[in-house]
Amino acid sequence: MSRLVYVLNGPNLNLLGKRQPHIYGHETLADVERDCLALAAELGLQLRFHQSNREYEIIDWIHEARETAGAIVINPAAFTHTSVAILDALNTFDAPVIEVHISNVHKREEFRHRSFVSLRADGVIAGLGTQGYQLALRRVARLIDEKVA
Ligand code: CA2
């Protein structure tokens, strides 16, 4: 199984660490990418780390991942709660999908409690801050290793 993992980030996450630190913390998305790349090297994973404010770009990366990747880690941000199109794209991907949220969406407004992506995700991490990305990578590495063994 491919050891390539796509880490996909949805709208406004480019502002991470620059606004609302009481909700999302002080780390920037560049910090998260750097830490993910370091951990991926330790775990023997290759990484494609992307962020977009455009739904179609995220869908295109999921389609790309169908051809090449062993797993997807995705923080769809606000698209979590609205996007049937991202759910449909993920439903065409045949390997593990882990959904990550930096904040605990269940402790927040009611509209954040519903996730279309959770209908496909194999696991969901919420409220563990940016550490959630690291934990998701450890999980997909384990799943890929188990598949190979
Ligand atoms: O907790 C998460 O990771 C979210 O996916 C973040 C989304 C939100 O819509 C989801 O309900 C939960 C928002 C991402 C916006 O990121 C910002 C970061 C810093 C400053 C402003 C926005």
Side-chain angles (χ1 to χ4, degrees):
M1 186 183 243
S2 167
R3 298 189 74 80
L4 175 63
V5 178
Y6 274 59
V7 181
L8 302 179
N9 293 281
N12 298 308
L13 283 165
N14 53 310
L15 297 178
L16 203 62
K18 297 170 185 167
R19 295 271 187 286
Q20 300 184 282
H22 55 292
I23 303 177
Y24 300 114
H26 290 280
E27 274 201 308
T28 65
L29 198 63
D31 295 332
V32 176
E33 179 174 13
R34 181 204 58 215
D35 291 350
C36 284
L37 284 169
L39 181 62
E42 250 178 62
L43 297 170
L45 300 173
Q46 294 163 271
L47 224 67
R48 300 255 160 85
F49 192 100
H50 297 297
Q51 186 275 332
S52 181
N53 296 326
R54 301 173 186 87
E55 192 175 19
Y56 77 87
E57 262 186 318
I58 293 169
I59 293 166
D60 285 349
W61 286 321
I62 295 169
H63 291 178
E64 213 179 89
R66 291 182 65 231
E67 309 297 323
T68 53
I72 294 175
V73 171
I74 183 166
N75 182 347
F79 291 149
T80 307
H81 318 297
T82 61
S83 181
V84 176
I86 289 176
L87 170 64
D88 286 346
L90 289 170
N91 276 333
T92 71
F93 181 73
D94 286 332
V97 175
I98 307 292
E99 177 182 350
V100 173
H101 298 287
I102 298 166
S103 65
N104 181 359
V105 283
H106 300 290
K107 214 176 156 184
R108 301 181 65 190
E109 304 95 323
E110 185 103 23
F111 68 84
R112 296 186 203 276
H113 299 180
R114 182 183 69 171
S115 166
F116 286 106
V117 170
S118 291
L119 294 168
R120 164 63 184 88
D122 298 294
V124 182
I125 296 171
L128 303 186
T130 53
Q131 191 190 0
Y133 288 85
Q134 308 277 308
L135 298 168
L137 283 182
R138 288 191 185 278
R139 179 64 184 161
V140 297
R142 169 84 66 94
L143 292 172
I144 291 171
D145 290 344
E146 283 173 0
K147 200 86 186 188
V148 170

